[in-house]
């Protein structure tokens, strides 16, 4: 939408605002994923296959998010003027963001499986 609707200077300003605002949201969300993963370990009492996959995916997401905001986002932020190199950075930022979002959805799906799995275990114990 940015590329189609905005001229390059406006696109750069909007990209900078996205980097600043969404960076805090993404990093906070990742912290929640880490905390819930740790709580799952304590609640379940061990590491199941699903939980291990979730934790590995969380590490991948953290790495990608740090790359997206710490590297690509910083380069967009420091860009003096819009140009082909900034457009390429913006495209890479979007691709990495879509990848992160897709993996997070997979993590949520796995979390649902963990919740249902541990609920079934608790019901069997009662």
């Amino acid at each position: 939408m940015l590329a189609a609707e905005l001229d390059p200077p406006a696109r750069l300003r909007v990209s900078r605002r996205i980097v600043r605002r969404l960076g805090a949201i993404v990093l906070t969300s990742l912290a929640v994923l880490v905390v819930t993963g740790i709580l799952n370990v304590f609640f379940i009492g061990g590491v199941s296959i699903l939980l291990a996959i979730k934790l590995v995916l969380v590490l991948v997401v953290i790495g990608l998010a740090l790359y997206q905001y710490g590297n690509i986002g910083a380069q967009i932020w420091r860009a003096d003027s819009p140009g082909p190199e900034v457009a390429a950075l913006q495209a890479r930022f979007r691709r990495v963001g879509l990848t992160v979002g897709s993996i997070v959805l997979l993590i949520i799906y796995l979390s649902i499986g963990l919740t249902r799995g541990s609920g079934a275990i608790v019901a069997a114990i009662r």
Side-chain angles (χ1 to χ4, degrees), residues 56-103:
V56 168
L57 289 174
V58 167
L59 291 175
V60 169
V61 166
I62 289 171
L64 285 172
L66 290 174
Y67 170 70
Q68 181 184 21
Y69 287 94
N71 186 355
I72 302 170
Q75 289 178 41
I76 292 171
W77 189 264
R78 289 190 302 259
D80 293 331
S81 61
E85 65 281 345
V86 173
L89 286 171
Q90 290 168 330
R92 190 174 337 144
F93 189 88
R94 285 190 304 273
R95 282 192 307 271
V96 173
L98 288 172
T99 303
V100 166
S102 299
I103 296 172

Side-chain angles (χ1 to χ4, degrees), residues 15-122:
S15 293
R16 286 178 176 163
R17 291 180 73 186
I18 289 171
V19 168
R20 185 175 353 125
R21 287 186 182 181
L22 292 183
I25 294 170
V26 167
L27 295 176
T28 302
S29 299
L30 290 176
V32 169
L33 280 174
V34 169
V35 169
T36 59
I38 292 169
L39 290 175
N40 279 329
V41 170
F42 290 127
F43 181 71
I44 293 173
V47 178
S48 67
I49 295 291
L50 281 179
L51 183 56
I53 292 169
K54 177 186 171 188
L55 294 175
V56 168
L57 289 174
V58 167
L59 291 175
V60 169
V61 166
I62 289 171
L64 285 172
L66 290 174
Y67 170 70
Q68 181 184 21
Y69 287 94
N71 186 355
I72 302 170
Q75 289 178 41
I76 292 171
W77 189 264
R78 289 190 302 259
D80 293 331
S81 61
E85 65 281 345
V86 173
L89 286 171
Q90 290 168 330
R92 190 174 337 144
F93 189 88
R94 285 190 304 273
R95 282 192 307 271
V96 173
L98 288 172
T99 303
V100 166
S102 299
I103 296 172
V104 167
L105 288 175
L106 180 59
I107 291 168
I108 292 168
Y109 181 75
L110 289 173
S111 296
I112 292 170
L114 284 170
T115 303
R116 290 183 183 189
S118 63
I121 292 170
V122 170

